[in-house]
């Protein structure tokens, strides 16, 4: 049984082919990063138009790499939420049309849940129940994952997502978009203790996040005592120190809340996904925390962490339960 999956929730146009094991046979991603870089962020209308141009060639390429034809597909899966609605609509429309034309079931997959499922895919075995942690450009969410299909939110961001904070601070520091990898590179030669940025923990029992204050703190640190913003972004060691200190503050908060989620649920597995999960410093810190908590730390290789369609293999679980999507499936911008 072959599944074709489509992802167009943000700025990656992606298609994947997997079996019902699930085993991934092809994972094709056409990034739009270059299109958006000059705007310093993803422009929704530009993203939707690029998906329109790229999606069919990307699907063709995924079938070619899997070594199968379109008629071999037994079900079509699509990330239908959450995301940029215009971008999602391109994938949802294509998936509905394909499922209808081929006469096969349509499966609707939650993109953020799929980020957690990427860990299940990489592990090659059942990982539930676990704490699921999605840290991306659009989301910072801790889930109680009872089964692959039964997730509830333990905590989420009240303002910026962690990846968004990386992108905004990178822009403040004059680093390129996307900001996460740029800050991580810069931080390698910086001193994480050079600036003591705030660690927002909110109420003592809260598993929610807030990153907007941290962004403002970086701005103030650049402005110095006189509160005058420099005309040019910082360079050299100062920029590296700001990047390293910012990254350390984000990592501290993420690790603190993930530990609290493990203790609250009593689970002994943490599964992390999303673009920010590609950050090595975060991975190391979470790994150490999990070891101290006697919990297993699960993540996925970087190509399954950033946006992709392979993680939509969560569709296999829906398929096994007979949870098919209606032919009038719609794109939905929100997580819940
Ligand atoms: O999951 P993703 O590809 O797309 C969304 O669904 O948002 O995540 C993209 C986000 C961007 O904000 C990017 O700056 C961040 O992930 N990111 C990183 C790293 N690689 C990507 N953040 C920190 N360190 C990285 N190495
Ligand atoms: Zn994502």
């Amino acid at each position: 049984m072959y599944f074709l999956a489509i992802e167009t929730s943000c700025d990656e146009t992606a298609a994947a082919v997997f079996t019902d094991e699930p085993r991934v046979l092809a994972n094709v991603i056409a990034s739009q990063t270059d299109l958006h870089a000059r705007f310093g962020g993803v422009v929704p209308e530009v993203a939707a138009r690029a998906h329109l141009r790229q999606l069919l060639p990307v699907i063709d390429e995924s079938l070619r790499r899997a070594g199968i034809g379109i008629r071999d597909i037994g079900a079509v899966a699509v990330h239908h939420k959450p995301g940029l609605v215009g971008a999602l609509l391109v994938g949802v429309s294509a998936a509905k049309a394909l499922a209808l034309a081929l006469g096969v079931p349509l499966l609707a997959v939650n993109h953020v849940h799929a980020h957690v499922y990427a860990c299940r895919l990489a592990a090659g075995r059942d990982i539930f129940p676990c704490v699921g942690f999605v840290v991306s450009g659009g989301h910072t969410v801790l889930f109680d994952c009872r089964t692959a299909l039964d997730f509830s939110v333990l905590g989420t961001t009240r303002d910026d997502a962690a990846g968004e904070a990386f992108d905004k601070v990178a822009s403040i520091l004059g680093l390129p978009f996307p900001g996460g990898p740029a800050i991580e590179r810069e931080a390698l030669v910086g001193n994480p203790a050079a600036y003591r940025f705030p660690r927002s923990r909110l109420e003592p029992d809260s598993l929610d996040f807030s990153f907007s204050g941290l962004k403002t703190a970086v701005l103030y640190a650049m402005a110095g005592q006189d509160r005058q913003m420099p005309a040019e972004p910082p360079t050299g060691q100062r920029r590296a120190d700001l990047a390293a200190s910012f990254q350390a503050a984000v990592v501290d908060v993420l690790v603190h809340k993930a530990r609290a989620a493990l203790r609250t649920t009593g689970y002994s597995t943490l599964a992390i996904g999303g673009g920010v999960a590609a950050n090595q410093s975060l991975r190391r810190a979470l790994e150490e925390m999990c070891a101290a908590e006697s919990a297993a730390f699960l993540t996925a290789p970087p190509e399954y962490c950033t946006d992709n369609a392979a993680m939509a293999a969560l569709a296999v679980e829906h398929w096994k339960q007979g949870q098919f999507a209606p032919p009038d499936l719609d794109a939905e911008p929100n997580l819940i």
Side-chain angles (χ1 to χ4, degrees):
M1 170 75 183
Y2 297 113
F3 294 72
L4 171 70
I6 294 171
E7 146 66 23
T8 61
S9 70
C10 191
D11 62 337
E12 321 282 359
T13 314
V17 176
F18 42 82
T19 66
D20 54 342
E21 260 173 78
R23 188 165 59 89
V24 179
L25 302 178
N27 182 31
V28 180
I29 304 167
S31 176
Q32 305 176 5
T33 304
D34 294 348
L35 277 180
H36 301 285
R38 67 190 172 104
F39 301 107
V42 177
V43 184
E45 180 67 19
V46 172
R49 286 173 190 273
H51 286 313
L52 265 180
R53 276 197 308 277
Q54 296 182 158
L55 185 55
L56 293 183
V58 164
I59 290 174
D60 280 344
E61 178 62 13
S62 71
L63 293 169
R64 196 188 64 76
R65 287 193 200 171
I68 62 168
I70 190 81
R71 296 264 159 217
D72 297 321
I73 294 298
V76 180
V78 63
H79 288 152
H80 73 120
K81 74 172 191 183
L84 303 170
V85 77
L88 284 167
L89 267 175
V90 177
V92 169
S93 307
K96 288 199 293 193
L98 268 173
L100 192 69
L102 296 172
V104 299
L106 176 69
L107 300 154
V109 177
N110 180 312
H111 171 96
V112 181
H113 294 181
H115 270 302
V116 175
Y117 198 79
C119 297
R120 155 71 184 85
L121 204 57
R125 59 169 174 83
D126 191 18
I127 62 166
F128 302 100
C130 68
V131 170
F133 197 10
V134 179
V135 197
S136 73
H139 299 276
T140 305
V141 199
L142 279 161
F143 289 106
D144 175 346
C145 309
R146 286 172 286 271
T147 70
L149 297 174
D150 184 7
F151 285 27
S152 54
V153 174
L154 294 166
T156 186
T157 184
R158 295 195 187 162
D159 39 59
D160 292 349
E164 195 179 351
F166 268 97
D167 293 337
K168 287 178 179 168
V169 167
S171 151
I172 294 170
L173 297 181
L175 294 168
F177 174 83
I183 288 194
E184 179 167 23
R185 271 194 306 278
E186 194 71 17
L188 287 175
V189 291
N191 173 9
Y195 298 87
R196 181 73 198 162
F197 289 133
R199 272 75 169 154
S200 172
R201 305 236 153 116
L202 303 167
E203 305 80 32
D205 291 337
S206 174
L207 292 176
D208 283 347
F209 302 86
S210 167
F211 292 108
S212 66
L214 176 56
K215 184 184 59 194
T216 312
V218 176
L219 265 177
Y220 280 151
M222 276 174 54
Q225 298 294 338
D226 56 1
R227 292 277 190 262
Q228 289 296 310
M229 280 304 286
E232 297 292 327
T235 53
Q237 194 58 43
R238 189 164 142 73
R239 181 163 79 179
D241 288 348
L242 284 162
S245 303
F246 161 78
Q247 179 174 274
V250 176
V251 168
D252 267 7
V253 172
L254 295 175
V255 170
H256 175 84
K257 299 281 176 171
R259 183 191 297 111
L262 282 170
R263 291 183 180 173
T264 303
T265 56
Y267 294 158
S268 54
T269 302
L270 175 73
I272 175 164
V276 184
N279 187 285
Q280 294 300 325
S281 158
L282 174 63
R283 281 180 183 234
R284 271 195 305 275
L286 285 172
E287 213 162 355
E288 278 169 26
M289 179 276 287
C290 283
E293 297 290 312
S294 303
F297 173 65
L298 298 183
T299 184
E303 68 272 22
Y304 288 172
C305 280
T306 46
D307 284 345
N308 67 87
M311 65 189 190
L314 173 54
V316 172
E317 310 284 345
H318 286 290
W319 178 75
K320 284 181 180 163
Q321 299 299 321
Q323 295 176 352
F324 304 126
D328 63 347
L329 176 72
D330 214 346
E332 292 175 40
N334 297 323
L335 176 63
I336 300 164

